[in-house]
Amino acid sequence: MKKKIAIGILGATGVVGQNYLRLLADHPWFDIVDLAASSRSAGKTYEEAVGERWLMDSSMSDDYKNLVVRDVTDYAAIPADVKIFFSATELGDKQATRDFEFAYADQGYPIVSNSSANRWTPDVPMVIPEINGDHLEILHSQQRNRNFPDSGFVAVKPNCSVQSYLVAIHALNQAGYPVEEILVNTLQALSGAGYKGLTELERRTTVNPLIPGEEEKTENEPSKILGLLEDDKIIPDYSMDVSALCTRVPVIDGHTALVYLNFANEVPSLDEIVKIWSEFTALPQELKLPSAPQPPIEFKVDPDRPQVGLDVDNGKGMAVSIGRLAEDKFFDIRFVALSHNTVRGAAGGAILTAELLVEKGYIKG
Ligand code: NAP
């Protein structure tokens, strides 16, 4: 059997970090050897550092309980065998986070990040592997621009709200029905706000109509993800306009998106749309990457689906579930889409990106 690739998790004690531990417990390629968090956790065993904050349904694996947590900025203590870092942390402000992620790359580490800090850095790819795996090619120019060793780079994944609907839009674009306008209202889970989101009890009895910064991310990130890679640059695609209203609802995991859209040209029939989504497949599925959902889009015919309670774990939390497709009075069509925010929208999405990086030879085991 091939030796697994040693990986480290930055921000391992938080909600996304804990999901990495859960999802990677039996991963066929990756093996966790390093857990890092803030100076508050550094020096403690992982079990001590997390304490009462373990939020997963499954119990903490014995393999990690006694690993001593490293301070994320203690570069000297990085175990020698680590080949990839997943980052689920922010350091103070955005610039500090950008610098910290590039500091890892500068030392020769590939880092796949959940933070928003580097999403608009021009030479950093923001990847949903089913849509824009080709953007990873920009990593070569990132390494040249920044004099990184050829093993070091930063790749990021987009905001969790975007994953609920963008794969479905991409499938329609690919099928020859370009989408021109989208109105999206999101109903986002408490776990999207991290540890505090899940533990501050007053959040469980209300709908909060404000998630600071979320609407801007939901509206703007699609243009980079759908952009064209040309001459070492990602040229954003502004042909589709998005208007977003994002809310936080008392649901533990799972972001629901209520989507209304207009096509640029011909409007496909509802049957044709269902066929496009049901048959959609992409690079991760073709490469049979371990975390690739088969199929990536699950269309639900029952009129009361998708529902968080029934569908959030479809495709082991990596599939997008869609239903309630209908013609609309003001738009061409409308539908409801659901994805698991801490899996597809965070840890699982980053793991899938890392699998693609390994498969394409950017990361050597
Ligand atoms: P969280 O539960 O609050 O966890 C934050 C993690 O970062 C903890 O491990 C914490 O370590 C560490 N940390 C905090 N301040 C730090 C500092 N100054 N220096 C070093 N480490 C520090 O947050 P989360 O939900 O896991 O989110 C983590 C990242 O993923 C954020 O960038 C978030 O925007 C992004 N993200 C989250 C989701 C989601 O659904 N939750 C989805 C997509 C992206 P200590 O325990 O030691 O304090």
Side-chain angles (χ1 to χ4, degrees):
M1 201 170 84
K2 267 191 176 172
K3 197 165 177 273
K4 290 189 185 182
I5 300 171
I7 63 127
I9 297 169
L10 313 175
T13 48
V15 170
V16 176
Q18 292 177 27
N19 271 282
Y20 277 115
L21 265 72
R22 180 173 72 84
L23 295 171
L24 291 170
D26 298 310
H27 195 278
W29 299 357
F30 302 143
D31 188 23
I32 301 172
V33 300
D34 182 49
L35 299 174
S38 77
S39 54
R40 296 178 286 278
S41 302
K44 299 177 183 166
T45 65
Y46 185 70
E47 188 175 28
E48 286 166 354
V50 173
E52 300 295 307
R53 295 183 295 161
W54 183 256
L55 293 164
M56 301 297 100
D57 288 338
S58 51
S59 51
M60 187 188 291
S61 161
D62 288 339
D63 295 348
Y64 314 128
K65 279 182 182 167
N66 293 319
L67 277 183
V68 175
V69 177
R70 182 175 62 81
D71 185 316
V72 292
T73 56
D74 183 0
Y75 304 106
I78 296 174
D81 52 347
V82 177
K83 291 281 189 293
I84 311 173
F85 279 102
F86 292 104
S87 182
T89 189
E90 312 260 353
L91 255 69
D93 62 21
K94 296 284 174 206
Q95 189 56 48
T97 307
R98 279 192 279 275
D99 293 346
F100 144 80
E101 292 182 352
F102 283 134
Y104 272 85
D106 197 31
Q107 295 183 49
Y109 295 107
I111 173 161
V112 183
S113 175
N114 298 102
S115 161
S116 61
N118 262 314
R119 289 185 193 151
W120 285 96
T121 307
D123 56 1
V124 172
M126 172 162 54
V127 178
I128 296 178
E130 279 84 353
I131 300 179
N132 62 338
D134 61 313
H135 285 192
L136 294 175
E137 275 178 45
I138 204 164
L139 293 172
H140 296 299
S141 44
Q142 183 192 114
Q143 289 170 327
R144 277 197 305 276
N145 297 344
R146 297 170 188 275
N147 290 321
F148 291 157
D150 70 359
S151 52
F153 56 76
V154 175
V156 300
K157 52 157 294 307
N159 194 50
C160 42
S161 63
V162 171
Q163 339 263 333
S164 299
Y165 70 95
L166 201 60
V167 173
I169 302 300
H170 172 67
L172 297 171
N173 289 343
Q174 290 278 99
Y177 299 106
V179 173
E180 190 171 46
E181 290 174 319
I182 299 182
L183 174 67
V184 57
N185 298 332
T186 64
L187 314 173
Q188 301 191 199
L190 298 172
S191 59
Y195 178 73
K196 284 187 180 164
L198 287 174
T199 51
E200 291 175 358
L201 291 182
E202 64 276 14
R203 297 187 189 225
R204 299 196 173 195
T205 53
T206 192
V207 171
N208 189 333
L210 175 70
I211 310 177
E214 200 77 355
E215 287 159 5
E216 292 79 355
K217 291 173 191 163
T218 310
E219 291 179 351
N220 297 330
E221 290 182 9
S223 65
K224 181 168 178 181
I225 300 162
L226 299 175
L228 198 68
L229 184 72
E230 217 174 65
D231 298 333
D232 286 349
K233 286 196 173 57
I234 297 165
I235 317 288
D237 180 350
Y238 295 114
S239 63
M240 183 182 84
D241 216 356
V242 183
S243 171
L245 196 153
C246 299
T247 67
R248 185 80 69 201
V249 298
V251 154
I252 304 296
D253 290 315
H255 288 358
T256 301
L258 314 180
V259 184
Y260 301 75
L261 63 81
N262 283 328
F263 291 96
N265 308 309
E266 192 188 344
V267 179
S269 70
L270 299 184
D271 285 347
E272 175 71 3
I273 293 171
V274 173
K275 187 167 178 296
I276 289 166
W277 284 339
S278 304
E279 292 177 356
F280 177 73
T281 180
L283 193 57
Q285 286 70 37
E286 284 148 28
L287 294 172
K288 295 190 168 41
L289 298 179
S291 302
Q294 304 274 7
I297 299 175
E298 290 196 19
F299 186 79
K300 300 287 162 196
V301 285
D302 292 352
D304 59 351
R305 306 280 285 276
Q307 271 189 47
V308 167
L310 299 171
D311 295 306
V312 75
D313 290 323
N314 288 343
K316 296 188 178 157
M318 289 295 285
V320 176
S321 301
I322 303 185
R324 303 242 27 223
L325 175 66
E327 287 166 1
D328 184 71
K329 205 185 277 186
F330 302 118
F331 289 82
D332 289 335
I333 60 161
R334 65 180 187 227
F335 60 90
V336 177
L338 165 71
S339 72
H340 196 308
N341 55 296
T342 56
V343 182
R344 167 52 89 165
I351 293 167
L352 186 62
T353 300
E355 290 167 359
L356 187 58
L357 285 161
V358 171
E359 189 66 30
K360 288 190 158 204
Y362 290 92
I363 296 172
K364 309 256 182 311

